[in-house]
């Protein structure tokens, strides 16, 4: 059983957290830009963010729209494409993390600050130093340390980087070589910068070998998310061109992580993107699909459904096409 959260408009890429006792959702805001579809995601030309909150059961309680909380025209360094955002709280301040293209058309990751989880958010004048690519998710560990997980292939430009340096030209490794990994870094105490050089997230197969470039069914493409369940670290992500949401389990926030299965099978629409949140002992998958827009992949709708674990910690796969 799934619920569409905001039937009156198009939103995607949800990140959900509990702040001040309520669920807050930070999505991308899709709209009909008229830009033709291409392999680089130019048709995802989002210009602003809204925040939503739910006070109660996300399957039934009302969804409150807090309106526009940040607009690209107010971000000094950014020009276009406000993609997937996320938010974290520290010492009473709320930090909105978002990717956008800078004046040279390169994706960077920015920060905007508010006194409230529902914004509005004031952007910093520059992106995070050394940031690149898209789809950052910020995870707070039990010891109060914050880690950012980020990266996305193709339109997300991750293939243009190795060892945190820009390449002369984008490069995809051969199919039998380790896949391009997602990246992660601990955040600085002020939440505004990386506290360390970003590191690759290694996902191992059943033989302890890194997943390969040619393993399109399982290798990382975009949409990183990190959550903890029974003391173990679950790194989850989209496989992009094969449209799966998959997960891998590790025993610390840096990994390595061992591939563990699919969370969600293919949905209507090219992209798939999610977050996982536990509230009152029940876990939920927030994600999107393009059913309400008739399959227009750049006009996506937010959904939520319960997510179940087996006693061994594995996740019961959800059918992306089921109602
Ligand atoms: O919303 C734009 C991009 O589409 C996101 O950054 C990706 O994760 C995919 O959902």
């Amino acid at each position: 059983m799934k619920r569409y959260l905001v039937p009156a408009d198009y939103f995607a890429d949800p990140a959900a957290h509990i702040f001040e006792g309520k669920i807050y959702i930070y999505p991308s805001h899709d709209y009909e830009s008229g830009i033709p579809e291409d392999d680089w995601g130019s048709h995802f030309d989002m210009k602003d963010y809204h925040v939503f909150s739910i006070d109660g059961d996300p399957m039934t309680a009302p969804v409150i729209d807090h309106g526009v909380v940040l607009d690209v025209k107010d971000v000094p360094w950014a020009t276009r494409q406000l993609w997937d955002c996320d938010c974290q709280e520290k010492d009473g301040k709320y930090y909105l993390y978002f990717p956008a293209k800078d004046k040279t058309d390169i994706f960077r990751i920015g920060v905007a600050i508010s006194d409230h989880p529902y914004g509005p958010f004031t952007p910093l004048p520059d992106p995070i130093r050394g940031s690149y690519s898209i789809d950052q998710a910020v995870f707070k560990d039990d010891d109060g340390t914050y880690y950012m997980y980020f990266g996305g292939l193709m339109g997300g430009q991750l293939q243009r980087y190795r060892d945190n340096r820009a390449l002369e030209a984008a490069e995809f490794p051969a199919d039998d070589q380790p896949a391009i990994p997602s990246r992660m870094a601990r955040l600085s105490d002020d939440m505004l910068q990386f506290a360390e050089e970003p590191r690759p997230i290694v996902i191992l197969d059943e033989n302890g070998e890194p997943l390969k470039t040619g393993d399109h069914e399982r290798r990382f493409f975009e949409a990183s998310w990190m959550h903890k369940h029974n003391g173990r670290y679950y790194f989850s992500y989209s496989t992009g061109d094969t449209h799966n949401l998959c997960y891998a389990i590790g025993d610390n926030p840096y990994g390595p992580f061992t591939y563990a299965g699919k969370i969600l099978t293919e949905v209507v629409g090219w992209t798939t993107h999610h977050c996982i949140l536990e509230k009152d002992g029940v876990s939920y998958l927030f994600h999107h699909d393009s059913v309400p827009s008739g399959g227009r992949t750049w006009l996506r709708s937010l959904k939520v459904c319960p997510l179940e674990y087996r006693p061994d910690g594995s996740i019961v796969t959800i059918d992306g096409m089921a109602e």
Side-chain angles (χ1 to χ4, degrees), residues 134-150:
I134 60 164
D135 281 4
Q136 68 302 308
V138 179
F139 164 73
K140 180 184 183 183
D141 207 347
D142 300 334
D143 65 358
T145 308
Y146 294 82
Y147 300 93
M148 179 179 287
Y149 296 81
F150 66 96

PDB file of all heavy atoms in Angstrom, residues 134-150:
ATOM      1  N   ILE A 134      26.571  15.503  -7.384  1.00  0.00           N
ATOM      2  CA  ILE A 134      25.183  15.752  -6.953  1.00  0.00           C
ATOM      3  C   ILE A 134      24.780  14.790  -5.840  1.00  0.00           C
ATOM      4  O   ILE A 134      25.565  13.994  -5.361  1.00  0.00           O
ATOM      5  CB  ILE A 134      24.215  15.533  -8.133  1.00  0.00           C
ATOM      6  CG1 ILE A 134      24.320  14.076  -8.650  1.00  0.00           C
ATOM      7  CG2 ILE A 134      24.484  16.529  -9.263  1.00  0.00           C
ATOM      8  CD1 ILE A 134      23.174  13.640  -9.546  1.00  0.00           C
ATOM      9  N   ASP A 135      23.484  14.869  -5.498  1.00  0.00           N
ATOM     10  CA  ASP A 135      22.795  13.852  -4.688  1.00  0.00           C
ATOM     11  C   ASP A 135      23.449  13.615  -3.330  1.00  0.00           C
ATOM     12  O   ASP A 135      23.653  12.467  -2.909  1.00  0.00           O
ATOM     13  CB  ASP A 135      22.681  12.526  -5.460  1.00  0.00           C
ATOM     14  CG  ASP A 135      21.547  12.561  -6.480  1.00  0.00           C
ATOM     15  OD1 ASP A 135      20.920  13.618  -6.636  1.00  0.00           O
ATOM     16  OD2 ASP A 135      21.294  11.524  -7.114  1.00  0.00           O
ATOM     17  N   GLN A 136      23.752  14.698  -2.633  1.00  0.00           N
ATOM     18  CA  GLN A 136      24.318  14.558  -1.297  1.00  0.00           C
ATOM     19  C   GLN A 136      23.214  14.205  -0.293  1.00  0.00           C
ATOM     20  O   GLN A 136      22.095  14.711  -0.362  1.00  0.00           O
ATOM     21  CB  GLN A 136      25.020  15.851  -0.858  1.00  0.00           C
ATOM     22  CG  GLN A 136      24.099  17.031  -0.625  1.00  0.00           C
ATOM     23  CD  GLN A 136      23.276  17.391  -1.829  1.00  0.00           C
ATOM     24  OE1 GLN A 136      23.831  17.560  -2.901  1.00  0.00           O
ATOM     25  NE2 GLN A 136      21.967  17.477  -1.676  1.00  0.00           N
ATOM     26  N   ALA A 137      23.563  13.296   0.610  1.00  0.00           N
ATOM     27  CA  ALA A 137      22.702  12.964   1.746  1.00  0.00           C
ATOM     28  C   ALA A 137      23.579  13.106   2.977  1.00  0.00           C
ATOM     29  O   ALA A 137      24.738  12.681   2.957  1.00  0.00           O
ATOM     30  CB  ALA A 137      22.184  11.539   1.632  1.00  0.00           C
ATOM     31  N   VAL A 138      23.045  13.713   4.019  1.00  0.00           N
ATOM     32  CA  VAL A 138      23.860  13.929   5.223  1.00  0.00           C
ATOM     33  C   VAL A 138      23.291  13.085   6.361  1.00  0.00           C
ATOM     34  O   VAL A 138      22.119  13.203   6.718  1.00  0.00           O
ATOM     35  CB  VAL A 138      23.931  15.419   5.591  1.00  0.00           C
ATOM     36  CG1 VAL A 138      24.750  15.602   6.858  1.00  0.00           C
ATOM     37  CG2 VAL A 138      24.558  16.198   4.442  1.00  0.00           C
ATOM     38  N   PHE A 139      24.146  12.246   6.896  1.00  0.00           N
ATOM     39  CA  PHE A 139      23.779  11.266   7.916  1.00  0.00           C
ATOM     40  C   PHE A 139      24.398  11.676   9.246  1.00  0.00           C
ATOM     41  O   PHE A 139      25.587  12.015   9.308  1.00  0.00           O
ATOM     42  CB  PHE A 139      24.313   9.894   7.474  1.00  0.00           C
ATOM     43  CG  PHE A 139      24.358   8.858   8.545  1.00  0.00           C
ATOM     44  CD1 PHE A 139      23.193   8.272   9.020  1.00  0.00           C
ATOM     45  CD2 PHE A 139      25.573   8.429   9.068  1.00  0.00           C
ATOM     46  CE1 PHE A 139      23.235   7.293  10.010  1.00  0.00           C
ATOM     47  CE2 PHE A 139      25.635   7.457  10.052  1.00  0.00           C
ATOM     48  CZ  PHE A 139      24.453   6.889  10.521  1.00  0.00           C
ATOM     49  N   LYS A 140      23.578  11.640  10.311  1.00  0.00           N
ATOM     50  CA  LYS A 140      24.088  11.916  11.662  1.00  0.00           C
ATOM     51  C   LYS A 140      24.254  10.589  12.388  1.00  0.00           C
ATOM     52  O   LYS A 140      23.277   9.857  12.583  1.00  0.00           O
ATOM     53  CB  LYS A 140      23.104  12.810  12.419  1.00  0.00           C
ATOM     54  CG  LYS A 140      23.570  13.127  13.828  1.00  0.00           C
ATOM     55  CD  LYS A 140      22.524  13.938  14.573  1.00  0.00           C
ATOM     56  CE  LYS A 140      23.032  14.319  15.951  1.00  0.00           C
ATOM     57  NZ  LYS A 140      22.007  15.049  16.727  1.00  0.00           N
ATOM     58  N   ASP A 141      25.479  10.279  12.778  1.00  0.00           N
ATOM     59  CA  ASP A 141      25.702   9.030  13.501  1.00  0.00           C
ATOM     60  C   ASP A 141      25.337   9.215  14.979  1.00  0.00           C
ATOM     61  O   ASP A 141      25.180  10.354  15.462  1.00  0.00           O
ATOM     62  CB  ASP A 141      27.161   8.577  13.333  1.00  0.00           C
ATOM     63  CG  ASP A 141      27.284   7.062  13.454  1.00  0.00           C
ATOM     64  OD1 ASP A 141      26.316   6.412  13.892  1.00  0.00           O
ATOM     65  OD2 ASP A 141      28.356   6.533  13.112  1.00  0.00           O
ATOM     66  N   ASP A 142      25.247   8.102  15.691  1.00  0.00           N
ATOM     67  CA  ASP A 142      24.807   8.156  17.091  1.00  0.00           C
ATOM     68  C   ASP A 142      25.746   8.968  17.976  1.00  0.00           C
ATOM     69  O   ASP A 142      25.342   9.466  19.028  1.00  0.00           O
ATOM     70  CB  ASP A 142      24.689   6.733  17.660  1.00  0.00           C
ATOM     71  CG  ASP A 142      23.684   5.912  16.876  1.00  0.00           C
ATOM     72  OD1 ASP A 142      22.766   6.505  16.285  1.00  0.00           O
ATOM     73  OD2 ASP A 142      23.839   4.677  16.836  1.00  0.00           O
ATOM     74  N   ASP A 143      27.015   9.099  17.576  1.00  0.00           N
ATOM     75  CA  ASP A 143      27.976   9.865  18.378  1.00  0.00           C
ATOM     76  C   ASP A 143      27.968  11.359  18.017  1.00  0.00           C
ATOM     77  O   ASP A 143      28.821  12.117  18.494  1.00  0.00           O
ATOM     78  CB  ASP A 143      29.393   9.301  18.214  1.00  0.00           C
ATOM     79  CG  ASP A 143      29.918   9.467  16.784  1.00  0.00           C
ATOM     80  OD1 ASP A 143      29.180   9.985  15.917  1.00  0.00           O
ATOM     81  OD2 ASP A 143      31.071   9.066  16.540  1.00  0.00           O
ATOM     82  N   GLY A 144      27.008  11.775  17.165  1.00  0.00           N
ATOM     83  CA  GLY A 144      26.897  13.197  16.829  1.00  0.00           C
ATOM     84  C   GLY A 144      27.800  13.639  15.687  1.00  0.00           C
ATOM     85  O   GLY A 144      27.875  14.832  15.395  1.00  0.00           O
ATOM     86  N   THR A 145      28.459  12.694  15.006  1.00  0.00           N
ATOM     87  CA  THR A 145      29.273  13.033  13.838  1.00  0.00           C
ATOM     88  C   THR A 145      28.383  13.015  12.594  1.00  0.00           C
ATOM     89  O   THR A 145      27.526  12.133  12.450  1.00  0.00           O
ATOM     90  CB  THR A 145      30.410  12.007  13.665  1.00  0.00           C
ATOM     91  OG1 THR A 145      31.106  11.892  14.901  1.00  0.00           O
ATOM     92  CG2 THR A 145      31.376  12.439  12.577  1.00  0.00           C
ATOM     93  N   TYR A 146      28.616  13.994  11.707  1.00  0.00           N
ATOM     94  CA  TYR A 146      27.815  14.081  10.470  1.00  0.00           C
ATOM     95  C   TYR A 146      28.699  13.696   9.287  1.00  0.00           C
ATOM     96  O   TYR A 146      29.852  14.141   9.186  1.00  0.00           O
ATOM     97  CB  TYR A 146      27.297  15.515  10.269  1.00  0.00           C
ATOM     98  CG  TYR A 146      26.309  15.948  11.328  1.00  0.00           C
ATOM     99  CD1 TYR A 146      26.753  16.416  12.565  1.00  0.00           C
ATOM    100  CD2 TYR A 146      24.941  15.889  11.091  1.00  0.00           C
ATOM    101  CE1 TYR A 146      25.856  16.815  13.539  1.00  0.00           C
ATOM    102  CE2 TYR A 146      24.025  16.293  12.064  1.00  0.00           C
ATOM    103  CZ  TYR A 146      24.494  16.751  13.285  1.00  0.00           C
ATOM    104  OH  TYR A 146      23.610  17.148  14.251  1.00  0.00           O
ATOM    105  N   TYR A 147      28.131  12.910   8.378  1.00  0.00           N
ATOM    106  CA  TYR A 147      28.849  12.470   7.182  1.00  0.00           C
ATOM    107  C   TYR A 147      28.004  12.799   5.951  1.00  0.00           C
ATOM    108  O   TYR A 147      26.790  12.567   5.960  1.00  0.00           O
ATOM    109  CB  TYR A 147      29.080  10.963   7.199  1.00  0.00           C
ATOM    110  CG  TYR A 147      29.884  10.477   8.382  1.00  0.00           C
ATOM    111  CD1 TYR A 147      29.248  10.047   9.539  1.00  0.00           C
ATOM    112  CD2 TYR A 147      31.277  10.444   8.330  1.00  0.00           C
ATOM    113  CE1 TYR A 147      29.980   9.590  10.632  1.00  0.00           C
ATOM    114  CE2 TYR A 147      32.017  10.001   9.411  1.00  0.00           C
ATOM    115  CZ  TYR A 147      31.363   9.578  10.556  1.00  0.00           C
ATOM    116  OH  TYR A 147      32.095   9.127  11.636  1.00  0.00           O
ATOM    117  N   MET A 148      28.663  13.302   4.905  1.00  0.00           N
ATOM    118  CA  MET A 148      27.963  13.520   3.639  1.00  0.00           C
ATOM    119  C   MET A 148      28.330  12.406   2.651  1.00  0.00           C
ATOM    120  O   MET A 148      29.507  12.090   2.471  1.00  0.00           O
ATOM    121  CB  MET A 148      28.344  14.872   3.023  1.00  0.00           C
ATOM    122  CG  MET A 148      27.645  15.107   1.688  1.00  0.00           C
ATOM    123  SD  MET A 148      28.052  16.704   0.946  1.00  0.00           S
ATOM    124  CE  MET A 148      27.145  17.805   2.016  1.00  0.00           C
ATOM    125  N   TYR A 149      27.297  11.841   2.019  1.00  0.00           N
ATOM    126  CA  TYR A 149      27.444  10.842   0.950  1.00  0.00           C
ATOM    127  C   TYR A 149      26.971  11.511  -0.323  1.00  0.00           C
ATOM    128  O   TYR A 149      25.911  12.141  -0.323  1.00  0.00           O
ATOM    129  CB  TYR A 149      26.589   9.610   1.260  1.00  0.00           C
ATOM    130  CG  TYR A 149      27.061   8.921   2.519  1.00  0.00           C
ATOM    131  CD1 TYR A 149      26.686   9.404   3.779  1.00  0.00           C
ATOM    132  CD2 TYR A 149      27.913   7.839   2.471  1.00  0.00           C
ATOM    133  CE1 TYR A 149      27.160   8.814   4.941  1.00  0.00           C
ATOM    134  CE2 TYR A 149      28.386   7.233   3.632  1.00  0.00           C
ATOM    135  CZ  TYR A 149      28.010   7.734   4.858  1.00  0.00           C
ATOM    136  OH  TYR A 149      28.488   7.161   6.008  1.00  0.00           O
ATOM    137  N   PHE A 150      27.706  11.394  -1.416  1.00  0.00           N
ATOM    138  CA  PHE A 150      27.309  12.134  -2.615  1.00  0.00           C
ATOM    139  C   PHE A 150      27.832  11.477  -3.896  1.00  0.00           C
ATOM    140  O   PHE A 150      28.681  10.586  -3.859  1.00  0.00           O
ATOM    141  CB  PHE A 150      27.779  13.592  -2.536  1.00  0.00           C
ATOM    142  CG  PHE A 150      29.276  13.773  -2.568  1.00  0.00           C
ATOM    143  CD1 PHE A 150      29.934  14.054  -3.755  1.00  0.00           C
ATOM    144  CD2 PHE A 150      30.028  13.678  -1.408  1.00  0.00           C
ATOM    145  CE1 PHE A 150      31.312  14.241  -3.799  1.00  0.00           C
ATOM    146  CE2 PHE A 150      31.411  13.849  -1.433  1.00  0.00           C
ATOM    147  CZ  PHE A 150      32.058  14.129  -2.636  1.00  0.00           C
TER     148      PHE A 150
END
